[in-house]
Amino acid sequence: MKYARQTQTALDRLDQSLMTLRDMIKRGENAQAIQYMEQGDLKERFGELQSMITISQTGNMGAMGTQSVGNL
């Protein structure tokens, strides 16, 4: 459950960052939007989520965040 909760929190943060990006683009703040994607919160949020997924794959965790026990 802890992995699922952490993943959901990371997804929520990414979603908030995407909404911020959308708002910047709607206001015509394209230069700021590019910077936000390449160097700002959006890049950080994506990196956090990507790290969590990578760690879960190398940590032998199953799809539900539980220890894999092999084929039955």
Side-chain angles (χ1 to χ4, degrees):
M1 285 303 234
K2 185 177 180 181
Y3 174 75
R5 205 171 25 251
Q6 289 173 332
T7 304
Q8 187 60 51
T9 299
L11 284 170
D12 291 343
R13 289 179 181 161
L14 180 62
D15 189 48
Q16 291 171 353
S17 292
L18 288 170
M19 287 190 321
T20 300
L21 176 64
R22 185 200 74 197
D23 290 344
M24 287 178 173
I25 293 169
K26 284 178 97 173
R27 290 191 302 262
E29 300 170 352
N30 295 337
Q32 293 90 339
I34 290 170
Q35 183 177 5
Y36 186 74
M37 287 188 295
E38 294 177 345
Q39 300 170 359
D41 284 347
L42 183 60
K43 181 179 179 178
E44 290 178 28
R45 301 298 182 232
F46 182 78
E48 291 170 5
L49 186 57
Q50 189 174 32
S51 293
M52 289 178 67
I53 292 168
T54 301
I55 290 169
S56 74
Q57 290 173 348
T58 59
N60 201 25
M61 298 296 265
M64 297 300 291
T66 58
Q67 189 72 25
S68 296
V69 294
N71 295 334
L72 296 175

